[in-house]
Structures are given as C-alpha cells and as structure tokens.
Amino acid sequence: MTRMSPDVPLLNDYKQDFFLKRFPQTLLGGPRLKLGYCAPPYIYINQIILFLMPWVLGGAGTVLYQLGILEDYCAAALSGGLMLLTAFAIQFTSLYARNQSVTVERILTTDILAEEDEHEFTSCAGAETIKFLIPGKKYIGNTVFHCVLAGLLCGLGTWYLLPNRITLLYGNIGGTVLLFVFGWVTICIGEYSLIVNTATETAAFQTQDTYEITPLMRPLYIYIFVSVDLTHRFMVNIPVLEQINQILHILFIFLPFLWALGTLPPPDAFFLWGIEQVLAFGLGGSPMSTHLRLLVMSILSAGAAIASYFIPSTVGVALFMTGIGFLLSLNLREMAFDFRRSVTRHRVETKSNALPSGSEKQFSWKEFLFYVGILVLALLEVSLLHHFASFSPVSKSSPQAIVGYILMMLLIILWMLREIQSVYIFGIIRNPFYPKDVQTLTVFLEKQTRLMKIGVVRRILLTLVSPFALIAFLSLDSSLQGLPSMSVSIGFTRAFRMVWQNTENALLETVTVSLVHLLIFNTDLWWNSLDTGIRLLLIGIMRDRLIQFISKLKFAVTVLWVSWKDKKRRKSTTTLCILNIVFSPFVLLFVVFSALFSSPLLPLFTLPVFLVGFPRPTQSWPGVVGAAASVCADTVYYHQMVPSLIAALQSAVTAGSLGLLLPGSHFLGRFQDRLIWIIILERGYTYCCINIKGLELQETSCHTAEARRVDEVFASAFEQEGYARVCSLNEHFGNILTPCTVLPVKLYSDARNVLSGIIDSHENLKEFKGDLVKVLVWLLVQYCSKRSSEQNVHETENKGKASLIIPPALNTSPQPQCPEDTDSLNSETFDDWSDDNIFGDEPTIKKGKEEKDQLKVFPGTNVPIPGSVESQRVGGHCTGPVPENSLYEAVILGYPALDRGKQEGMAYIPLMEFDSSHSRLLRLPEEWGSKCLPISKIKEMSSLFPEDWYQFVLRQLECFHSEEKATNILEEIANDKVLKDFYVHIVMTCYFSLFGKDNVTPGPGHLLRVYNSVLPWSLALDWLTEKTELCQLALKAFRYTVKLMIDKASLGPIEDFRELSNCLDEYESDWYIGLVSDEKWKEAVLQEKPYLFSLGYDSNMACPWGRGYTLSVVPLRILGLHLRLSGLLKHRLHSRRRQPRRPELLPPPHPPTHTEHLSPTVGISLQKFPIVPTPHSRALVQEPLLRDFTSGRNRP
C-alpha cells in the first residue's frame, strides 16, 4: 500500500475496500460487480446481460451490413429501433416493480455500509431484484426521453463503429478490431448509465440531481464524437476534418477513463463554461456573478454583434458598437434597482410631508449624469474621427500608429503605477515606497497617503484617459471604412466592449497588435489577412491561455519541489518525482491541456501525480452565492466586518493595490484567528462583484500549521525591522501566496483571560452582594425613567390624580379570590447547588421558546398537604371564602415541621397612594408586586437596601431637566417613602431570587451558573420567571455586577457613587455583557457595540475565563492567490458542496483519518460595489463612492 508518510497510508483498509467497489462502478457506468456482502450469482449475471444488450442489438445490425443484406443507415436504424423497444421494456419493468408492495426484512448488521449496500433478494426476477438492478426514473417525461436517446445512441453508435468505416480511416485490420471492441464497450457504458442505473460520477456540478441530468453526461460525449464522424461522411474533401475524425476514434475508446477520472465536465457545467468562454473571449464580456446573469448577458451580447452586421451605415456601425459596448459593461440591473428604490423613498417622504434629504436621490442623478457624459463624449469622439480622420494602411507615421505609441506609453505608466501600490514588485523585490511596518495602523495610513495619491492618478488614466485613446485607435482602423462583414462585426463589437469591460487587458491586447504591425514586414503573412478585431480576439485568447500555462507549470514545479524538500514525504515521493522527470513530456502535455481548457490541475492526494479536472465556470458552484454556506459561532463577526471590508476593498481596487483584478482572482485576508477568502466573480466599468467567505484554519493541528505558514508570509512582508534593506527580496517567492496590501477594517478583536484568583476571591465575593443591590437599584430606576419618557405623561385627565400602587405592607383583610398552589421545595435542590466543588462543570444552557434570555430553573412540585386550605377546591374552583393570609402560606418539604398555629403569613400588598404626585413618573409596573416571601424575610433583607445610593441615582436623572423646578421634583421623588418601599420590596425579592437561599456569601460556582442563566430554586423563582422584563433586568444586573467585580479587581476599587454611576452608564451604552449564545449578543455585534464581554468555564483546565471583544480599526493583511491555484480552489470548494452522494471516489463519512484544508465555514452573500468615484466626490479616494448590493436583494 502506498503511503503518504511512514505511518499514514494513502488509503486505509476502509477506504481501500470502498474504492475497490466504487471505482469499477464509476468506470463501467453503473454495474455493481463488487458488493460488500454475499449476493446471489444472478445479480451479477443480470447486470452483465443488461450491460451487453446494446452490443448484441448493434452487433445484429453490423452483421447484416457486413453481409451486404442492409445498407449502413438501414443497419443503424434497425439497431436503434431494437434498442428503443428494449429501453422501454426495461423502464416499464422497473415501473411495475416499484408499484408492487413487497416487504423485505433487512439483515441486522453492524457494518457501517449496511444502510447503503445490503439488500435481500428472493428470486431472479423479484421486485426487490429489479429495483436493485433498475432504480428507474423519477419523472415519466425523462423515462420517454431517455429511452428515445438510448435508441438513437445505439443506432448512431452502430453506424459509427462499422468495421468497413474504421478500415477506410486507418487501413489496418488490427486497429479496426481494437477500435470496434473497445468502442462498443464505451457505447455500452453510455447506454447502461442512461437506461439502467446511473453511475456515481466523479465530475459532479450540482449538489442534487433534481432533473436527472447526470444520466445524460456520457451519451452527450458519445453524440459529440459521432457528430464529427457524420460531418466527415458528408464533407469528404477536408483533410483536417479527416485527421480530427481519426484522432477522435482513438480517443473514443479512452472515454471511460476520462469519465472515471472526472476530466470531462457534466452537461450543465459544460454548457455554462462554454457560454462563459464565448462571452468573455468572443464577445468581450466578463464572467458573471450568477448563472442567470450569464445567460441574459450572453444573449444580449450576441444580439448586439448580430445587429451591427445589419446596420447599413459605416458611421452608424461605429456609433452602435461604441454605445452598446459601454452600456453592456455597466451594472445596469443594480443601477435601475437603486434608482427605483430612491424614487420610491422620495414618494414616501413626499406623502408624509417630510423634508427630503435628497442625499441618495442626488447620488443617483449625479451618477447617471456621469455615465451619460462619458457616453456622449465617446460617441462624439467616434463620429468626429470617422468623419474627419483619414483612413490609411498602417505605417509608422499613420494616425493609428501614432495613437498606438500613445497607448504604449499609457501601458507602461499604468504598469509602473500599479506595481508601486503593491508590497512586492513582480512579486520578487520589496517595494521601497511601501511602508515597512504595519503594526501601528495610524503611522501606516499616514505613510500610505502618498501611495493613494499615486493611485488617484492611475485611476484617472485607467478610467478616463485610456478608454478614449483605445476608441481612437479602433475608430481609425481601415476595416470600418466599409460595411462590416460578420467577422468584422464580431471582432470590433468585442473590441469596443473590451474598452470599457476590462480596460487594462484591452490596452495590453491593443499594444500587442500595434507592435506586431510595426515588426512584421512580410505582407503575405496570414496575420495581415485578418482584420484588427479578429487579431485582438486571438491575442486575447492567447494572452489568457499563456498566463494560465505559465502559472500551472509553476504550480507543478512547486509541488514537485515541495514533495522532494519535505523530509517526511521524501521517502514515499522520491519514486514519483523521478517518474515525473522521466515522463516530463506527458506531464507537460497535462499542463497544456489544463491551460487550454481552463481546467484545474489537480495533484492527487497532494502528491506529484497530476490530473486534469473538468472545466467549469467562474462561479464554480450551483445556486445563489452564500445559499449553501455553513453557519457557526463566528458567522456574525464576518457579517459585521463586511461593510467595512467592502469600503476598504474599494479603495484598494481604486488605487491598484490588489494588482490586475480579473474575474476568477482569489485573495486571502488574515487577522488573528480569522481568515477571509475573497473571490472576484464579475468585473465591469466602475463596478466589481465579489464573494466573501469566512474560513477556519485553527481547528486542527494541520490547520494550525497552515495558519502559522500564512502568518510567516505576512510577517516577512509587513513586519520588517527598521534596519532591513530597502529593496529586499521576497523570501517566499515560490509560495502560492503573494502579499498585496493592508486594509484598515473595523472588526472585533478578542482577548481571553483566566479569572482564577478574582472570581473565587472571598473578599470579592463579599463585595459582590452589596454591589448587586446597587446595580439592581440603578437598572430599575433607569428602566422606569426610560419607560416614563416613552409614555405621554402630560395627559390633562391624569394631572393631579394620585396613583395607586401596592406597597409592601401587611394587611390581613380577606380577598374574594381563589388561592394559587405554591411551589414546594425539592429536598435535592440544595445538594445540586452546593459549592463543595468550587466551579464544577460549565453549565449547559437550554434554549427556551418564549424568552430571549433563557433560564434553566429547578422547580419544586405542587403538592399541597391533604386537608390544608390549599387543597379545599373542587374542580379547580374555590368551595368557599379563604383567608387572605392562606394565599401566601408555603409548605416547605424536607424542612423541620412548623407549628401550624405559629406559621408565619406571607406578605401581600394593599393599594396605597404615593407621597408625591410626581412619583408616578418612576413607578414600577404594578404587576411586579410580590407576594411570595414571608414578612420577616423582607424586613431582614431591607437593611441591605442602600438608601443613600438610591437617592443619589434619583437625583442624577436627566429626564426632568426640561421641566420647571426639576431639582425640587427629584427631591420630592427621592423623599417619597411609599415609592422607596416599593423599590425595596422589588429589589430585595430579585436579590433573594438570584441567590436562592439564606443571605450567605455566594460561591464562584454560583456566580458562573447564574451568569449562564441557570437560576437556583427559591420561593420567589416562579414569580420572577413569570415577569419576563423584570427577570431580564435581574439577570442583566447580575452580569453587570460580575463585570464590575472583575474591573474592580483589575483596575482598582470604586471611589464614590459618581464613579460607580459613570461605570454603569458605560456598561449600558458601550458594552454588551452576556453569553455568546444569546441572540442579543449577535444583535450587539451587528450594531457594532464597542465592547463585548462573556464569562465561561474551561472544564479541561478547571478554571473560569472571561472573554472580551473590542471593536476597532485593525490592519487586515491581504494575500493574492496565484492563478495556478485558483482552479484547484474552485475544485476543492465545489467538491465540499456535494451532499446527497459522494462522487469523489472516497467512502461516506467515517471516523476521520485526515483533515481537509481551506474548509469554508461562513458564506457571505454576493457584494457588488462601484470601484471609481463619480464627479460629486470631493476627494477621489478619501471619500469614495460605495454601495453594496446583495444577490436577491437580501443583505447579509
């Protein structure tokens, strides 16, 4: 068994067994000739018969043709007709078997593959056997369609593989026999996957084959090969076509291996990739961000090229090509949506008589005027040049050649200005103008200001100067003198579109054509017979494929070098490296094919064994961007940073810091333990469409090593010492990652601290009790103050009326209401809440359905004593009047029995009036009145109430400053004894509920549990949990007090009431103190609260920890991924999205033996933003124009 290292096999026993079952099935198109259990022989015999059935039917037609009984087309029709009938018979047999209700008892087994593979068969033609062999189709339409395709495939295959025809192509009997035999094997494979059982394809594009497209994959390629042969039959005098047909006949017998290795794309991916290639290279467009946009844009672009052919005026053709190229390069859909949204908002504001700010509407109109102005100037330039300029053959002194010289100068200047913005020039030499150290962000931004000014110059040259120079070059071409041919229409429509769609590439292509014109003196060369548009098209294709070839060749060399350099793998990869060197022409051929078809070059198991993946579009996954993204705890932090990241990216793109930005480019952003993957999906004039993904790289040891390597590349580029050389070399030149720039992004950085010695300090815990009461008072007063300010307190009918509340005084007058059952205490509760273990395990928080701040409680049982007052009810109703004191009597099970006559009554509260009429502004809700604690307990705990702090908090309120004599009003409220008693009662009841037992010093375990929303049992627990708002306030007060205790231990004690009040004000405004699992935590992150705090417990280290998050602008370092890795990343990302089946020839989920790299954990939806400011911006870079749109209009 081949091994990746001395101890890790390439395929372990489990994977090897799975591979030996799956690979033959994939290779042969679906027959399962190796099962994981013992199956009857007729299962294998039936599969072999079904597999060879097309060969038998096609062989009948072949024999009749070879004997001269039938013509070739008649033999093909006979074989196709027989196959059609057979296909219908097979499908209707499967349909009949599925309609039969057969009960099959499955064998119990512990095999992990039992649910997938094991079946019990009763007979050779039983329903279970048929369903196993022929699963059938989901749709009746597909049943008919696939049967017709099967018949047509068999007929055309018979015609394609007639021995006489093959002999005419090669003139060799031995070659004919080989091609005939293995050619029919290929056709049988295609037929089996189409009508019997579809193979698990290695090349899969859709996560689920909803419309049964996978069975069409193999027949599709057979049809393509046959179509070339049919074309050659009817066009006999074309030598090139004959050579192509000969090559394809040989390649035909290797199709099963190409299918099994995943080299050929599925039909949907092949269709989208083909359209994208035609749009990008044939029509001058850009790969689009969604498949729907790709289809629509392709139709519009093709229509524009065709329409230009029928325009009867030469000036009209030039104007049409210029105008349509400019319009198609804009993001018209999003511009129209934004404009409509602005108009709708303006109408709403007009109806509501609001003063229109006009900011967004002004923005839309100015942007509209900017684009209209550019379009008018371009059309004016084309018309003037076409009317006044003279068209002459290209020479060194012609007007077109002079414009070509100008374009060369522009290209050199733009290239220099772009390289100055990057960290490394050519990726090799350290840019002397780039700041050396980025640790201090303020200093870095000050030094980078000069580069930004250079970026402004570059953007003006690229956006405004270069397009008009390119239009001048194209308008002066002699090909536009007369009415265009179809080739001229296609070539120049593409050229005028590229001017706006991708100015940098258009500039490079035009300069190349101009140089070739000047260097080629042979007028008879085939190049001179082409018009300028077709030349530009060919140069564009060669430029793209040459860049891909160089990048993938570097990638292959890098894999070989790393495999040899790695000491752990050298022993196992030495043979592979030698084989790569010996068979280097074949390796080079693989690289050429990979570049030619723009396919990923895949190293098998990261070894120097290279395979060519199947071509796919730039958006290498189906569906909407971000729809299939995983969600984890870090998702919200990525969502929070997206707006700031987009703004920073816009500035970087404007300045050129990211280099040549093309669709399909990949970038990595790194900060602390977060990694951002940025993909460029679409690029146009003044806008760019990107996809942002969050990644994890530190969940496993392998990922940690990768993260450390990424940090090393960053450190060598961005953290240089002051004595470093001015133009140092890139230490990681051969790395796939190239440092680009640093972006200032607003995001959360976190720090985790161990709280041992703080939260378990006896002194801190003693102070905690008094601080908790103060925080409860402060929060309740603030709550009532905000509540009164939101209500209309100036209603005339309520002025002067005294408010009635329920103060905490004892009254024994009877009330005509039914008593409620009181909660009895479980005797085991205190054992569960003992603090013998200081911290215990970290509590588990369970989600509730109704409360956002979930509480885990331990209620007692409602068991009244038989014969007591609480049980005197019939059917849930009172049988007579009950003394009011009995309503609040509690029976405490497990405690020493009390004398019934001496049992204490429970406190309840009659209606009383406030001492001050203004006290109603700060009254607590009447439903918060407590009747659950004994009077003695309330009196005992009242001594803990800080009356001086209570009066201080009241006098600091600001909600009355707008009224007259505010000081006197606050003084009256502070001296209101009734209001104070009510606050005392509520505060001390909440205090008792949070501690759950006698007034003792809480333990650290208790603090952790209550902080995590796990409240202890108490007599007041049900009362507190029923008051949702009060319960949330009590829990918030507890968490604030925990944070206050930590701050006091770290920063020093609180000196006076004012400092404590300021501290609590800061907690309320700038902090969110809670749990990471809370929904409000996510809301606080999205609202960008400056500080976050969470408390937890590490059961492994047996210590509590506090984790603080700080929102700040930090340097986010950006790395560029080389194009040689882009295809590999697309393949890796795409392969991880396959859900229903695992087509990559690896077993289903199993105890992991390896880790996957670059696993996407967070997906953030599509973002589109303009990358150049419009004229209304006061500063081109300092105040960039930014708008972000989301696919489907759903913001992340």
Side-chain angles (χ1 to χ4, degrees), residues 632-634 637-638 641 669-676 694-699 703-704 707-708 710-711 747-752 1107 1109 1116-1117 1161-1162:
C632 65
D634 291 338
Y637 303 108
Y638 289 98
M641 69 178 296
R670 176 74 170 159
F671 172 73
Q672 287 188 351
D673 60 343
R674 297 176 198 160
L675 197 68
I676 309 296
L695 303 177
E696 57 87 16
L697 273 181
Q698 290 182 326
E699 296 298 329
H703 288 181
T704 303
R708 184 172 60 252
V710 172
D711 292 336
L747 49 80
Y748 282 97
S749 59
D750 65 308
R752 185 167 176 171
R1107 193 165 188 174
Y1109 293 79
L1116 181 71
R1117 296 163 293 184
T1161 60
V1162 182

Side-chain angles (χ1 to χ4, degrees), residues 583-762:
F583 296 99
S584 57
F586 295 97
V587 176
L588 188 63
L589 187 64
F590 277 20
V591 176
V592 169
F593 276 109
S594 178
L596 184 62
F597 294 102
S598 188
S599 302
L601 183 65
L602 307 176
L604 185 64
F605 296 104
T606 68
L607 296 171
V609 179
F610 298 101
L611 301 177
V612 179
F614 68 88
R616 64 205 74 191
T618 301
Q619 184 189 341
S620 56
W621 60 91
V624 181
V625 175
S630 304
V631 178
C632 65
D634 291 338
T635 303
V636 65
Y637 303 108
Y638 289 98
H639 282 312
Q640 174 273 325
M641 69 178 296
V642 165
S644 178
L645 176 59
I646 292 176
L649 279 174
Q650 190 243 350
S651 300
V653 173
T654 300
S657 302
L658 301 181
L660 184 61
L661 207 63
L662 298 175
S665 301
H666 295 253
F667 299 92
L668 288 180
R670 176 74 170 159
F671 172 73
Q672 287 188 351
D673 60 343
R674 297 176 198 160
L675 197 68
I676 309 296
W677 183 2
I678 303 170
I679 308 174
I680 309 299
L681 296 178
E682 181 181 341
R683 178 77 187 274
Y685 186 66
T686 71
Y687 83 94
C688 183
C689 176
I690 66 174
N691 180 28
I692 302 175
K693 295 181 179 294
L695 303 177
E696 57 87 16
L697 273 181
Q698 290 182 326
E699 296 298 329
T700 63
S701 59
C702 182
H703 288 181
T704 303
E706 292 171 346
R708 184 172 60 252
R709 185 62 173 172
V710 172
D711 292 336
E712 290 176 1
V713 177
F714 277 126
S716 65
F718 298 115
E719 299 176 9
Q720 294 194 352
E721 300 294 339
Y723 55 83
R725 289 187 301 172
V726 177
C727 296
S728 58
L729 297 178
N730 182 7
E731 299 176 1
H732 304 278
F733 171 66
N735 200 291
I736 60 174
L737 303 174
T738 301
C740 294
T741 186
V742 173
L743 302 179
V745 179
K746 182 187 292 186
L747 49 80
Y748 282 97
S749 59
D750 65 308
R752 185 167 176 171
N753 300 315
V754 177
L755 300 180
S756 297
I758 297 178
I759 198 174
D760 54 348
S761 172
H762 186 70

